[in-house]
Amino acid sequence: MANVCVFCASSRTLDARWLDLATETGAALARRGHTLVSGGGCVGMMGAVADGARAAGGRTLGVIPQALVDLEVADLASDELLVTDGMASRKTLMIDKSDAFVALPGGLGTLDELFEVWTTATLAMHAKPMVLVDADGFYRPLLDWLRTLATQHFLKPAGLDLLLVANTVPEALDLLDARLT
């Protein structure tokens, strides 16, 4: 099947519902036969998505910069852990190793990764599907703002259409699977 990269928060102080969402995502990916590609961390949603995938019998590939390994937040249980020299090379390697992308709720790092993948898709540097999981309307304000960018011609409608939006994990994976076949 496919290597699916999941972007999500690594905060240790999140509400349990977000950790549960990440665990559900990892498990759902594994049940569908996909390999999880993650940021290689063992904390927050990033750790939960990897644990969920492994608990459901899935394979995990983590990509983490040495600086975060040094902070002892690396997912040492990962089936494969690739260590990079920095955040930029981490992002590049995650993109290269992935066939598709799912963005769960997250903060600046999640948005940075999502926008990098999305920008390169709008430039036709790849045609890998991307799905934003808008659980509980988490991304609704961002999506409203993005639509405004399109109406003001800062973003082409075709570029906006490249980012698929789902409200649930099963819906997100159905969208990805339809585009991966």
Side-chain angles (χ1 to χ4, degrees):
M1 293 300 301
N3 288 350
V4 179
C5 184
V6 175
F7 302 133
C8 58
S10 60
S11 171
R12 297 175 194 241
T13 59
L14 296 172
D15 188 85
R17 69 184 171 138
W18 302 122
L19 299 172
D20 293 344
L21 178 69
T23 302
E24 173 192 350
T25 302
L29 285 169
R31 284 192 300 271
R32 290 179 185 227
H34 298 304
T35 294
L36 168 70
V37 178
S38 77
C42 64
V43 294
M45 292 174 73
M46 195 183 309
V49 74
D51 289 344
R54 284 190 293 270
R59 184 175 186 284
T60 59
L61 166 62
V63 184
I64 189 167
Q66 183 64 52
L68 295 181
V69 173
D70 295 344
L71 290 175
E72 299 181 352
V73 295
D75 180 13
L76 300 177
S78 191
D79 294 301
E80 186 176 358
L81 188 64
L82 303 176
V83 180
T84 65
D85 62 356
M87 294 295 281
S89 56
R90 172 204 211 181
K91 219 175 357 180
T92 299
L93 192 54
M94 288 169 71
I95 293 168
D96 290 346
K97 293 285 186 182
S98 301
D99 303 307
F101 305 90
V102 173
L104 297 177
L108 293 177
T110 302
L111 292 173
D112 174 54
E113 293 162 339
L114 171 64
F115 280 103
E116 175 85 14
V117 168
W118 192 8
T119 299
T120 53
T122 65
L123 297 172
M125 297 173 82
H126 70 82
K128 300 173 183 181
M130 306 161 290
V131 180
L132 182 72
V133 179
D134 187 29
D136 297 334
F138 183 88
Y139 283 113
R140 189 169 300 125
L142 176 64
L143 292 166
D144 291 343
W145 176 73
L146 290 167
R147 288 184 198 99
T148 300
L149 287 180
T151 62
Q152 294 181 12
H153 307 287
F154 287 103
L155 173 63
K156 293 179 182 175
L160 187 60
D161 293 341
L162 289 174
L163 182 65
L164 307 170
V165 179
N167 294 315
T168 67
V169 170
E171 181 186 350
L173 297 185
D174 287 347
L175 288 169
L176 282 186
D177 286 343
R179 279 153 184 84
L180 288 168
T181 55

